[in-house]
Amino acid sequence: MGLNWNSTTVAPVMPEPEQVFLAWLIAQPEDGNLRAAAAQQAARLAEYAGGHPGPRHLRQLFLDLAAELGGGAAASRAMSS
């Protein structure tokens, strides 16, 4: 007798975008370029082509941070393309 495990009915638990963002933010070096690092993460997330809204929301958090740290809305628009 064994466990009946139907893996198709178990959805993976994904962390909330805000949790991922805060963990990333805390892990950044004190002397690092936070704006450039956030822009780099946003660029990486721009390649996501899946249907889950989490990565898009996470990307927006990075774009907002980069814009807040320098460049304002113009920088955010430039990074979003």
Side-chain angles (χ1 to χ4, degrees):
M1 186 181 273
L3 294 175
N4 290 327
W5 184 264
N6 185 351
S7 62
T8 59
T9 61
V10 177
V13 176
M14 296 181 68
E16 294 295 320
E18 293 82 2
Q19 293 173 317
V20 174
F21 178 76
L22 287 175
W24 174 88
L25 190 59
I26 291 169
Q28 296 309 296
E30 193 172 310
D31 60 345
N33 183 337
L34 196 54
R35 183 190 180 283
Q40 181 182 16
Q41 291 300 316
R44 289 179 60 205
L45 287 163
E47 298 175 12
Y48 176 72
H52 194 280
R56 286 187 291 280
H57 181 64
L58 180 58
R59 180 174 183 265
Q60 189 59 52
L61 291 171
F62 284 117
L63 288 172
D64 292 346
L65 176 62
E68 183 76 22
L69 292 175
S76 180
R77 282 193 302 276
M79 287 185 286
S80 65
S81 53

